[in-house]
Each structure stands twice: as structure tokens, then as C-alpha cells.
Amino acid sequence: DDVTPEAMFRWETMNILLLPEDAAKPNSMVKANREERARIGKHLKALRRVLDAANKPKYDVEKMVAEEKKLEELKAANQTKRLVIEQKRIKAAAKEAEEAAKGAAKAAKKNEAAAKEAAKARKKEDAEAAKAAKEAEKAAKEAAKELAKEQLKAEKEAEKEAARAAKEAEKEAAKLAKEAEREATKAAKAAEKLAEKEAKLAEKEAKKAEKEKEVAASPGKAKSPAKGKGKLKVAAKGTKAIASFFGGGAKPQAKQSASSSPFASSSPSSASAAAGMTRGMEGDDEADVEKVDSMEVED
């Protein structure tokens, strides 16, 4: 019942400031507070009237009973109002709790669905990973098989190449052996021919030496030893060349025969006869020298 400016400032300003910032319905709250203030004011006025009636010198029982009855009615109304407000608050709290429970259930359901989706996605990923692993393993096996095939093929090719190279080497070796055999046969034939020629030349030399001995033994005119010696030197050179070419053999004895020839001390008749025979021998020697030179050129 206080309507002074201070009291009104307290009720209308400060109480509004005390309201929470996130209040759902601030106007309804202000209205409810004003109604509560009016009820409290009526209650206080009734109490005051009861006190005034009790303090009067002349005690009026009927008035006292009437005022107390009003006070009880106000008290019951306030109690009822409080119960209604409390019920509303309880209902609102229950509703909020129910909504919160529904929200929690909905969130749980949503989370469960999300978990199921995640599990499903994870299962799908695991299946895809297993499939990829199997495909990778299969590809690795195929690659290993292909690699083994390639290695086997390469080994077979290498063996073929080695066998081909061995055959080629064998053919080349056989060819070289044949060539060597042919060359050896040719060299043997050439050596045989040279030996035959050397034997023939040795035989000719022996015959020539025998003729020289016969000429030396027969009487006749002696020829100039210088001329015969020069011819014999030519024959000796040819024979020496043959001997040096064949690496040995019978050595020429023309020089020795010439030096030991008794033509120098013979008589003129024997010298002329010896000169004729010597000229014949010189012709034979020159022919032999030409044959030897032609043999050297051919060899």
C-alpha cells in the first residue's frame, strides 16, 4: 500500500533490473509481480483493520469477526494463488524437463543414428579396404607371376644365346682347326717339295763334284784358274743361297774344288781340255743358279 516515489521506484525499476536477461516472457513476469504486490497490499490492509478493531476502546465483536473472516479469505486466496503459481511452475519445469528429455532422446537417437551411419561407413570402408587389399595382393601375385615368366623367358633366351654362341664358337674353332690343318698340310707339302728340291740340288752338286774329280784326274790343258774360279764362285754362291734358304743341308764344295783343282799346274793340252769341260760345267752351274733363283722367287 506504499505508493511513495521511492517505493514505486523500487517496485517498477529495480525489480525489472533484477529480472534475468534471458527471461522468456518478461512482460508476463512484470504483470505477475504487480498482482502479487496488490495481494500483499490487500493482506496488509486487512491486518491493519484487524489491529485497529482490536485496539479500539469499544471492542466490536462482529466487526472483529468480519475482519478476521476477510483476512482468512485473503490468506486462502493467497495460498490458492501461490499453489496455482507453484503448480504452473512445476508444470513448466516438468514440461521443460520433458522437452529436455525429448531433446536428449532425440539427440541420443540422432547420435545413435549417426553412430550407426558411422559404423556403416566404417564397415563399408573396411570392406573397400579389404577388397583393395585383395586386389592389391592379386595384382602383386599377377606381377610376380609375370616377372617369373619374364625371368624364365630371359633365362631361356640367355640359354639359347649361350648355345648359339657356343655353336658359333665351335664352328669357328672347327673352321680355325681346318684352316690350321690346311696350313699345316700346305706347309708340310711345301717342306716336302723343298726337301726334294734340296735333295736334287745336293745330288747335282755331288754329280758336279764327281765330274770335277774326273776332270782333275784326266790329263789335259789347264785353264786359267782365275776364270774357272770365278765361275765356280758363282755356282758356290747359288748353292750357298740354297743351303742358307733351307737352313742347312749339303754344303757347296765348288770353292774347295776350285782351290784344290790342279788346273794351274797342268800342261797346256790338259788345260785346254779342262777349259772345255769347265765351260760345260759353267753352263750347267749358271742354269742351276737360275733355277735356284726362280725357286727362291716362287717361295
Side-chain angles (χ1 to χ4, degrees):
D1 61 344
D2 191 359
V3 291
T4 59
E6 292 81 5
M8 297 304 294
F9 180 80
R10 172 74 184 179
W11 277 99
E12 299 295 336
T13 304
M14 294 186 69
N15 285 340
I16 291 175
L17 294 175
L18 292 174
L19 290 173
E21 294 180 358
D22 57 346
K25 297 177 180 180
N27 294 329
S28 61
M29 293 179 70
V30 170
K31 186 177 179 181
N33 286 327
R34 283 175 181 171
E35 289 176 356
E36 184 69 20
R37 176 175 172 268
R39 278 195 308 274
I40 291 171
K42 289 179 181 179
H43 197 185
L44 288 174
K45 287 178 182 179
L47 286 172
R48 190 175 290 113
R49 285 194 297 271
V50 170
L51 289 173
D52 290 341
N55 289 328
K56 283 183 179 181
K58 188 179 179 181
Y59 185 75
D60 191 351
V61 177
E62 293 179 359
K63 188 175 182 181
M64 187 70 181
V65 170
E67 292 296 336
E68 285 181 357
K69 188 176 180 181
K70 289 180 180 178
L71 184 61
E72 289 295 330
E73 289 177 357
L74 288 172
K75 187 177 180 181
N78 289 334
Q79 188 66 25
T80 304
K81 187 68 175 178
R82 287 194 186 96
L83 289 174
V84 171
I85 292 171
E86 186 66 22
Q87 287 177 0
K88 286 182 179 180
R89 188 185 65 78
I90 290 170
K91 286 181 180 179
K95 189 175 182 180
E96 288 179 0
E98 186 178 358
E99 289 178 357
K102 286 181 180 179
K106 190 176 181 180
K109 193 174 181 180
K110 190 176 181 179
N111 291 334
E112 186 178 359
K116 286 182 180 179
E117 290 292 331
K120 190 176 180 181
R122 187 164 53 252
K123 190 175 181 181
K124 188 177 180 181
E125 289 177 358
D126 292 341
E128 289 178 355
K131 187 177 180 181
K134 286 182 179 179
E135 289 179 357
E137 186 178 0
K138 187 176 180 181
K141 287 181 179 179
E142 291 292 332
K145 191 182 289 184
E146 290 294 330
L147 183 61
K149 286 182 180 179
E150 291 293 332
Q151 289 180 352
L152 185 61
K153 187 176 180 182
E155 288 177 359
K156 287 183 179 179
E157 290 292 334
E159 289 178 0
K160 287 181 181 179
E161 289 294 330
R164 192 181 296 113
K167 286 182 180 179
E168 292 291 333
E170 188 176 354
K171 287 180 180 179
E172 192 68 23
K175 187 177 179 181
L176 292 174
K178 286 181 180 179
E179 290 290 335
E181 187 178 358
R182 194 180 296 116
E183 291 293 331
T185 305
K186 189 176 179 181
K189 288 180 179 179
E192 188 177 354
K193 287 181 180 180
L194 288 174
E196 290 177 0
K197 290 179 181 179
E198 185 178 357
K200 288 179 180 181
L201 289 174
E203 187 179 356
K204 286 181 180 181
E205 289 294 329
K207 288 180 180 180
K208 190 187 293 183
E210 188 177 353
K211 286 179 180 181
E212 288 177 356
K213 286 180 181 180
E214 290 177 358
V215 169
S218 64
K221 294 181 180 180
K223 193 180 177 181
S224 177
K227 188 176 179 180
K229 193 173 183 180
K231 296 292 183 178
L232 290 173
K233 278 184 179 180
V234 173
K237 279 184 181 181
T239 308
K240 193 173 184 181
I242 293 169
S244 65
F245 176 76
F246 288 108
K251 295 201 174 183
Q253 298 176 358
K255 188 174 180 180
Q256 184 180 357
S257 299
S259 60
S260 62
S261 178
F263 291 166
S265 59
S266 299
S267 61
S269 61
S270 63
S272 62
M277 292 181 69
T278 304
R279 279 194 296 271
M281 290 175 65
E282 285 173 359
D284 293 336
D285 290 337
E286 288 176 358
D288 291 337
V289 171
E290 288 177 358
K291 286 181 181 180
V292 171
D293 292 338
S294 62
M295 286 171 62
E296 287 179 358
V297 172
E298 287 176 359
D299 293 334

